[in-house]
Amino acid sequence: MDFDLVIRGGTVVTAERSIAADVGIVGETVRAVAAGLGPGQREIDADGLLVLPGGVDSHCHIEQVSSFGILCADDFHSATVSAAFGGTTTVVPFCAQHRSDHIPEVLADYHRRAAEKAVVDYGFHLIVANPDAQTLATDLPAAIDTGIRSFKIFMTYDRMRLHDEQILDVLATARRHGALTMVHAENHGIISWLGGRMVGQGNVAPRYHAVCHTRSSEAEAIQRVIALAEVVDTPILIVHVSTIEGVAAIRAAQARGVKVFGETCPQYLFLTAQDIDRGLEGAMFCCSPPPRDEAAQQACWEGLKDGTLAVYSSDHAPYRYDASGKLPKGEKTTFKEMANGVPGLELRLPLLFTYGVGAGRISLNEFVALTATRHARIYGLAPRKGGIAPGSDADLALWDPERRVEVDAELLHDNTGYTPYAGRSLKGWPVIVLSRGEVLVDQTRAPGQMLGRRGRGRFLARERSDALQPAGRPIDEIARLAAWGTPLVL
Ligand code: DUC
Ligand code: ZN
Ligand code: ZN
C-alpha cells in the first residue's frame, strides 16, 4: 500500500487553486496530492465533495473568564467538538491575564485545561491587561519563546484597557521579540460616558448597548492605535472590525505602507443592530463592537474581498441566556451588566459558504484563504496548517456543497443553548472532518458523533511569521532620530 489513507476523487481546493485530485496521507501528514494516486489501507470516496483544508479560527474565547468576571459557556472539549463539526480543525483562543494575574500561572492554567480536553489542535494568544516592568521584560518574552506569538490588548473595558503609553510599551516588546499585537479598538470614553448617561436615564435594554458603542468610537480607536503602531513601526491586527469607517481607516493606512491587518466576523456580515432591538432577548445578539447596519455589512464584505480585512474569524464568545452569562441579574440586568459576545465557532464556515461562495460574493479559493490559509500564515502556523500540500498536517474538511441545513441550536455542539443564526437556511456543509489523518466527524456513517478522543488535540507552538516583520518605514520624526545618530531605543 502506498498510503495509510487516500481521499479519492474529490475536488481539492486551496487558497491558490481548485483541482480534481486524490489526497494521499501517511500517518498524520499529507504525502501526495495528485490524480490517480496508488491505493491506501483505507479510502474515503470524495466523489462530488470539496476537499478543503480544515478551518483555522484565530479568534475564539474558550473556557475564559471575561473582563466582567464571567466564565464563558464552552470548555476546551465542547468548543473544539463544535469547531470540528463546523469544519474547523485548528483554534487559537486566548489565555487571559487579568490585572492581578501572574502570566506564567495564567499560561500554565490554560495549558493544563486545554491539554485535558481539546479534540483539535490549538495555539494561544495572550491577553495583556497589566504591562508592568516584569511583564514587559520577562513574562512576554518568555511566552513568545514557548510559541505564543500574539498578544491581544484592549482599548476599552475598565478592567482590561491600556493607556496609550502602555500600548506603546506592548508594541515595542512585540517588535523586539517577534509577536503580533491584536487590538480591540474602541474609544473607552465615548462608550463609558454614554453608558453612564443611558443607565442614568433608565435606558437599560440591550438596544442601548449598540447606541453607546458608536461607529465613531471604533473609527477613532483604530486610527489612534495605527498612529501608535507607526511610532514603533510594528505590525498590528485590528480584530472584529464592524464599521464603514473602521474598514476605511485600515485601508487608508495600508495604502500608505503601514503594516496593519484587519479581521471581521460573522456577526458583522450577517447581523445588524436591529437584532439587538428585541427587548431583553436582544442580549443574545450583544457583542462588542455591536453589529451595525446593511451598509456596514457591505463595507465588511468589500474589505474581505479586497484584502483590507485579511481574516474572517468567529470571535466565538459563548454566554448562556441565563444567570451564568447574559442575565446575571435576571430580568433586571442592564446592558452594562450582561456578558458581551455571541457563539460562532461551528457556523463560521457554513455561513460564509452560503452567503459568500453560494451568493457569488467570493470564490472558493478566497473562502479557503479567509477561513484557513491566511490565519495560518499570519499567526505562524503555515505550512503545517491552513493548506493541503505534501508535508502539511492532514487536517481536512470534506464539504458537500449541495447539503442543506436549517439552523437550529439543537443541531450545534457548543454549550451556549442558542444561536443568533437560528432559522437560516444554509447550503454547503462539512460532512467528513479529519485532524492529522484521523476522522473526527463523519456525517455519512456516524451522524452527530464525535469520533475523536477528548484530549487528543495538541498545543501548537507558533513560528515567527512574515507578518511580524516591521514595514521598515519609520515615521519622519523617528527617521530623523536615526539620521542624527541617536536612534530610538525600543
Ligand atoms: N471582545 C472580543 O474580542 N470578544 C468578545 C467581547 C469583546 O469585547
Ligand atoms: Zn475584543
Ligand atoms: Zn473576541
Side-chain angles (χ1 to χ4, degrees):
M1 292 292 171
D2 297 344
F3 303 100
D4 295 329
L5 174 63
V6 174
I7 314 289
R8 194 168 298 284
T11 301
V12 175
V13 184
T14 63
E16 288 78 30
R17 65 188 72 86
S18 308
I19 51 168
D22 308 327
V23 180
I25 297 165
V26 176
E28 300 186 338
T29 310
V30 172
R31 187 56 69 77
V33 183
L37 288 183
Q41 295 276 0
R42 286 173 46 230
E43 303 231 344
I44 293 176
D45 178 8
D47 186 30
L49 301 181
L50 303 170
V51 182
L52 270 52
V56 179
D57 195 338
S58 59
H59 184 163
C60 47
H61 303 267
I62 302 178
E63 219 172 314
Q64 185 191 321
V65 178
S66 77
S67 60
F68 289 67
I70 300 173
L71 180 65
C72 71
D74 278 310
D75 68 10
F76 280 93
H77 189 252
S78 59
T80 54
V81 168
S82 178
F85 274 98
T88 288
T89 51
T90 302
V91 294
V92 191
F94 298 89
C95 299
Q97 179 198 34
H98 295 265
R99 289 231 169 97
S100 56
D101 290 345
H102 184 219
I103 285 177
E105 283 158 25
V106 172
L107 295 180
D109 182 34
Y110 279 87
H111 271 293
R112 182 182 46 74
R113 289 186 276 139
E116 284 167 5
K117 299 175 204 152
V119 300
V120 302
D121 293 348
Y122 56 92
F124 285 123
H125 314 288
L126 178 58
I127 290 176
V128 182
N130 181 15
D132 60 12
Q134 151 95 17
T135 298
L136 294 167
T138 309
D139 295 345
L140 296 186
I144 291 171
D145 282 347
T146 67
I148 297 179
R149 288 210 171 260
S150 37
F151 310 138
K152 183 178 177 193
I153 58 169
F154 288 84
M155 298 173 81
T156 185
Y157 295 130
D158 286 321
R159 293 185 218 169
M160 305 300 278
R161 74 188 178 108
L162 306 188
H163 302 293
D164 289 354
E165 292 89 335
Q166 294 176 305
I167 294 175
L168 286 162
D169 277 340
V170 172
L171 292 173
T173 302
R175 173 168 174 155
R176 236 187 357 259
H177 297 277
L180 182 64
T181 305
M182 308 158 77
V183 186
H184 179 125
E186 291 189 284
N187 176 296
H188 183 72
I190 293 175
I191 296 166
S192 154
W193 187 84
L194 277 175
R197 291 287 158 131
M198 288 301 100
V199 173
Q201 291 173 218
N203 298 335
V204 296
R207 67 177 179 183
Y208 296 102
H209 169 79
V211 169
C212 297
H213 291 247
T214 63
R215 292 159 56 166
S216 58
S217 116
E218 177 173 287
E220 184 281 327
I222 289 178
Q223 272 159 355
R224 178 156 42 98
V225 75
I226 286 172
L228 299 177
E230 283 191 85
V231 171
V232 178
D233 185 18
T234 195
I236 54 172
L237 186 145
I238 312 291
V239 293
H240 46 51
V241 178
S242 67
T243 57
I244 297 171
E245 297 80 2
V247 175
I250 296 170
R251 188 179 287 122
Q254 289 170 344
R256 60 173 200 275
V258 182
K259 204 154 168 191
V260 49
F261 299 94
E263 172 204 80
T264 195
C265 315
Q267 47 272 37
Y268 309 115
L269 298 177
F270 310 121
L271 303 177
T272 69
Q274 292 255 297
D275 289 302
I276 304 180
D277 190 3
R278 54 174 81 186
L280 197 59
E281 289 188 4
M284 288 186 273
F285 299 81
C286 265
C287 51
S288 294
R292 312 285 177 176
D293 57 17
E294 281 80 8
Q297 291 179 340
Q298 182 56 27
C300 290
W301 279 111
E302 284 163 15
L304 289 175
K305 186 75 190 163
D306 72 9
T308 305
L309 305 177
V311 287
Y312 162 79
S313 312
S314 70
D315 195 4
H316 181 77
Y319 297 100
R320 296 182 68 82
Y321 186 63
D322 62 24
S324 73
K326 292 289 185 182
L327 306 175
K329 295 191 180 157
E331 291 188 0
K332 295 211 159 43
T333 307
T334 71
F335 73 93
K336 292 301 281 180
E337 295 159 326
M338 53 190 56
N340 264 310
V342 292
L345 255 177
E346 192 161 345
L347 291 177
R348 176 180 73 117
L349 302 193
L351 285 163
L352 192 71
F353 197 96
T354 295
Y355 296 111
V357 179
R361 289 185 168 107
I362 57 170
S363 70
L364 259 176
N365 309 97
E366 287 168 323
F367 176 83
V368 171
L370 289 168
T371 58
T373 315
R374 293 220 197 105
H375 300 255
R377 289 187 183 151
I378 290 173
Y379 288 104
L381 292 164
R384 190 169 161 195
K385 304 292 189 188
I388 306 177
S392 62
D393 280 0
D395 286 10
L396 304 171
L398 278 52
W399 284 70
D400 178 349
E402 302 301 324
R403 188 166 175 130
R404 286 183 182 276
V405 172
E406 301 293 317
V407 174
D408 179 343
E410 289 293 303
L411 202 91
L412 304 175
H413 299 79
D414 66 311
N415 198 26
T416 319
Y418 66 83
T419 166
Y421 310 102
R424 304 220 181 197
S425 179
L426 302 183
K427 185 172 168 217
W429 201 262
V431 288
I432 300 177
V433 178
L434 294 90
S435 162
R436 285 184 275 104
E438 181 181 344
V439 176
L440 299 187
V441 173
D442 186 345
Q443 300 286 26
T444 65
R445 287 160 195 269
Q449 277 187 50
M450 168 44 59
L451 304 172
R453 181 182 56 79
R454 184 185 174 90
R456 67 168 293 289
R458 289 190 200 140
F459 172 66
L460 299 162
R462 293 181 285 121
E463 309 285 339
R464 182 189 275 266
S465 76
D466 286 347
L468 305 183
Q469 206 50 37
R473 47 170 300 287
I475 56 173
D476 289 348
E477 296 81 352
I478 304 295
R480 213 178 303 151
L481 278 178
W484 290 340
T486 53
L488 175 68
V489 178
L490 288 175

